């Protein structure tokens, strides 16, 4: 099985119905799909690759002194002494930093800020187009998902970008690149490395590669889309395996609800009963930050509002 690859340009042409069906399949049966011909200029993607790779080169020495590297070196040394060692299960072989509208961005390389501002603006527009396709497939009014995420326009969505690198790992049997998890938020758009693999999605109990594909944008649905769709679109478990060879670049952008947003299943009269509670996204994130790598169902239970006792 291969993660679906969808030509997004066909959404506006004669093959719209088929393209919408492909998006529905990706959301309902995978929680992951890849978009090609998505409208983001390839020249911009080339610049993004360049500035993010250059930014890692400036950070590489610090990564070599980081806790994951030191932990792995200590395990290998203990193994040489004949001691039994177990794989690390509480950290990841990953160098990361985050970009938000209100935090400090790297100023070196010089083109980083301008390039990533332009890229994030394009990704935000693409995320909203994908959400409109999801609205239509789910039978929602156009803009329903964005309205839920923004409190009907009263608040801006939470939009962050995670710039990651997974450097070559000498002992991938002793540490993970990124532990298995589902994403907390809404719609995630990933510009992944087109040469170095490692990203896997769990489907029907089997871990499958999310194949590197030049200039594609990988889309996956988060926990909030699962709730809004009342379980029709499920957030998928995924992970990153470390590689012995190659430095994997990964640039993930998260179009999430505002922290003030109240999230609940969008069910109409006559639909199936709501399978998820209503909660405030900020409260969910408080729980998620402590239990990211655990099952998602207890997270939903943890933010369920207590029932008002009957008088």
């Amino acid at each position: 099985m291969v993660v679906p690859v969808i030509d997004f340009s066909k959404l506006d042409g004669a093959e719209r119905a088929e393209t919408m069906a492909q998006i529905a399949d990706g959301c309902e049966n995978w929680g992951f799909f890849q978009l090609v011909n998505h409208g983001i200029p390839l020249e911009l993607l080339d610049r993004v690759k360049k500035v993010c790779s250059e930014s890692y080169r400036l950070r590489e020495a610090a990564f070599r002194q980081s806790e994951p590297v030191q932990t792995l070196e200590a395990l290998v040394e203990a193994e040489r002494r004949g001691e039994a060692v177990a794989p690390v299960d509480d950290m990841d072989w990953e160098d990361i930093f985050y970009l938000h509208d209100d935090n400090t961005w790297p100023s070196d390389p010089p083109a980083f800020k301008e390039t990533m501002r332009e890229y994030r603006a394009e990704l935000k527009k693409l995320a909203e187009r994908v959400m409109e396709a999801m609205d239509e497939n789910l039978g929602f009014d156009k803009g329903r998902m964005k309205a839920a995420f923004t409190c009907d326009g009263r608040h801006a969505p939470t939009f962050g970008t995670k710039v990651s690198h997974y450097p070559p790992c000498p002992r991938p049997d002793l540490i993970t690149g990124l532990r298995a998890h589902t994403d907390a938020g809404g719609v995630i758009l990933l510009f992944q490395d087109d040469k170095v693999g490692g990203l896997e999605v769990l489907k029907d109990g089997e871990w499958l590669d999310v194949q590197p594909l030049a200039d594609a944008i990988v889309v996956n649905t988060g926990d909030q889309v699962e709730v809004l769709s009342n379980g029709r679109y499920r957030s998928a478990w995924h992970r990153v395996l470390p590689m012995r060879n190659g430095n994997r670049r990964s640039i993930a952008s998260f179009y999430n609800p505002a922290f003030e947003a109240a999230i609940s299943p969008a069910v109409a009269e006559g639909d199936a009963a709501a399978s998820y509670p209503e909660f405030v996204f900020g409260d969910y994130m408080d729980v998620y930050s402590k239990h990211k790598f655990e099952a998602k169902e207890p997270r939903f239970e943890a933010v369920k509002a207590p029932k008002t006792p009957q008088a």
Side-chain angles (χ1 to χ4, degrees):
M1 290 187 289
V2 177
V3 173
V5 177
I6 301 170
D7 185 340
F8 204 54
S9 68
K10 293 182 178 179
L11 198 64
D12 299 320
E15 298 178 57
R16 175 180 172 78
E18 180 182 345
T19 305
M20 289 293 290
Q22 291 172 343
I23 293 171
D25 173 65
C27 292
E28 292 183 14
N29 299 315
W30 288 82
F32 266 76
F33 53 93
Q34 301 207 54
L35 295 181
V36 296
N37 298 323
H38 38 62
I40 299 175
L42 301 186
E43 174 272 337
L44 174 58
L45 294 181
D46 286 340
R47 285 191 282 129
V48 169
K49 286 190 283 189
K50 181 178 179 181
V51 298
C52 288
S53 294
E54 288 176 357
S55 74
Y56 175 72
R57 280 194 286 272
L58 297 169
R59 298 168 57 88
E60 185 172 8
F63 177 75
R64 294 301 166 197
Q65 300 301 316
S66 68
E67 184 179 5
V69 173
Q70 294 180 355
T71 300
L72 185 61
E73 289 174 347
L75 284 177
V76 171
E77 182 59 33
E79 194 177 57
R80 288 197 189 103
R81 296 194 300 267
E83 300 175 18
V85 298
V88 178
D89 61 3
D90 61 352
M91 65 182 68
D92 304 302
W93 188 264
E94 179 185 34
D95 175 78
I96 59 172
F97 62 92
Y98 293 92
L99 305 177
H100 298 279
D101 289 338
D102 58 355
N103 71 337
T104 302
W105 294 18
S107 55
D108 201 8
F112 184 89
K113 289 182 179 179
E114 178 184 353
T115 299
M116 294 307 291
R117 281 197 197 99
E118 185 178 349
Y119 173 72
R120 278 168 47 84
E122 291 287 341
L123 260 287
K124 197 170 185 179
K125 289 187 289 186
L126 178 59
E128 291 177 350
R129 288 195 68 202
V130 170
M131 288 162 60
E132 287 179 357
M134 292 179 181
D135 284 337
E136 184 174 336
N137 276 332
L138 288 165
F140 297 167
D141 292 337
K142 184 177 180 179
R144 173 68 178 83
M145 198 172 291
K146 181 180 178 181
F149 285 6
T150 62
C151 307
D152 292 318
R154 294 191 302 276
H155 297 279
T158 307
F159 188 71
T161 298
K162 175 186 173 187
V163 180
S164 305
H165 283 82
Y166 302 90
C169 179
R171 290 294 302 273
D173 57 317
L174 290 179
I175 196 167
T176 58
L178 178 60
R179 286 162 283 171
H181 64 287
T182 65
D183 287 325
V187 175
I188 299 86
L189 298 100
L190 169 68
F191 183 33
Q192 69 165 343
D193 201 289
D194 56 10
K195 294 183 175 63
V196 184
L199 176 61
E200 294 186 332
V201 58
L202 185 64
K203 177 172 170 55
D204 301 330
E206 181 181 359
W207 287 104
L208 302 173
D209 290 333
V210 181
Q211 65 275 21
L213 184 61
D215 300 320
I217 298 294
V218 180
V219 178
N220 71 282
T221 50
D223 295 346
Q224 308 312 302
V225 170
E226 178 170 329
V227 173
L228 279 169
S229 69
N230 202 28
R232 187 168 162 187
Y233 293 175
R234 288 191 172 270
S235 57
W237 285 85
H238 53 286
R239 67 185 183 184
V240 177
L241 301 181
M243 297 286 133
R244 286 186 179 274
N245 301 304
N247 183 13
R248 173 183 168 80
R249 181 186 59 254
S250 171
I251 306 158
S253 295
F254 302 80
Y255 192 109
N256 292 346
F259 278 83
E260 300 87 351
I263 303 298
S264 63
V267 294
E269 188 175 346
D271 289 349
S275 300
Y276 299 81
E278 179 176 354
F279 53 82
V280 174
F281 179 63
D283 294 340
Y284 186 81
M285 285 303 297
D286 288 342
V287 174
Y288 182 86
S289 65
K290 302 179 181 70
H291 302 284
K292 174 177 179 177
F293 301 107
E294 300 171 20
K296 58 188 168 182
E297 291 78 11
R299 299 198 294 258
F300 296 136
E301 284 296 316
V303 291
K304 181 189 294 186
K307 292 183 179 180
T308 304
Q310 296 290 325

